[in-house]
């Protein structure tokens, strides 16, 4: 049985989308899949970041010169990412400047994980909980 392609994509907006892309790669381990630049310098109209363990997120600049989708406010998002490597990702995220919201810990329902904020305030939770 193969894993189906993602059909649900959390979408975030950033004031500095190129910096956000670098942070997501370096701090969390996302893979850059597709980046559509805008007309303005540093503008990202659309970006797809793939999570190596399955799924992904989309992002773009808060101010866009093209496109019909109005961007959300930077820092308004929250994403939960399933991983078998929460300890490794926590250490990597903290070393790259993430702001700790909830430290790495074991939960009473059997999950291990943490929550951090990226440089623009979006919250990212990583943990072993795969849903009920």
């Amino acid at each position: 049985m193969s894993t189906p392609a993602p059909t649900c994509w959390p979408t975030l907006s950033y004031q500095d989308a190129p910096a956000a892309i670098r942070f997501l790669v370096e701090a969390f381990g996302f893979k850059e899949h597709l980046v559509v630049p805008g007309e303005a310098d540093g503008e990202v109209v659309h970006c797809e970041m793939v999570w190596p363990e399955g799924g992904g997120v989309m992002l773009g600049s808060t101010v866009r010169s093209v496109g019909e989708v109005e961007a959300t406010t930077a820092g308004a998002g929250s994403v939960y990412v399933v991983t078998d490597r929460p300890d490794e990702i926590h250490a990597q995220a903290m070393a790259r400047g993430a702001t700790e919201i909830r430290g790495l810990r074991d939960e009473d329902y059997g999950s291990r994980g943490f929550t951090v904020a990226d440089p623009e305030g979006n919250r990212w939770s990583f943990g072993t909980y795969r849903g009920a």
Side-chain angles (χ1 to χ4, degrees):
M1 176 186 287
S2 64
T3 303
T7 57
C8 181
W9 290 85
T11 305
L12 304 169
S13 293
Y14 289 91
Q15 291 177 10
D16 187 346
I21 293 166
R22 286 190 305 275
F23 180 84
L24 296 180
V25 168
E26 296 171 4
F28 300 150
F30 277 88
K31 304 293 183 198
E32 184 180 314
H33 180 68
L34 171 69
V35 178
V36 179
E39 296 172 1
D41 186 40
E43 176 187 16
V44 174
V45 174
H46 175 75
C47 174
E48 295 176 14
M49 304 292 292
V50 176
W51 182 241
E53 296 178 57
V57 297
M58 294 182 186
L59 66 92
S61 298
T62 54
V63 177
R64 300 179 192 176
S65 58
V66 296
E68 67 282 350
V69 177
E70 180 128 353
T72 57
T73 304
S78 179
V79 179
Y80 179 81
V81 182
V82 175
T83 182
D84 291 327
R85 306 174 297 114
D87 295 71
E88 176 187 334
I89 296 168
H90 180 265
Q92 188 173 304
M94 298 312 296
R96 298 297 194 288
T99 302
E100 192 168 65
I101 304 297
R102 182 179 51 81
L104 184 63
R105 67 183 185 204
D106 294 317
E107 302 293 350
D108 59 1
Y109 51 90
S111 179
R112 180 166 178 78
F114 66 94
T115 301
V116 296
D118 66 29
E120 292 199 26
N122 291 301
R123 291 187 178 208
W124 294 84
S125 296
F126 291 83
T128 57
Y129 181 71
R130 295 184 179 276

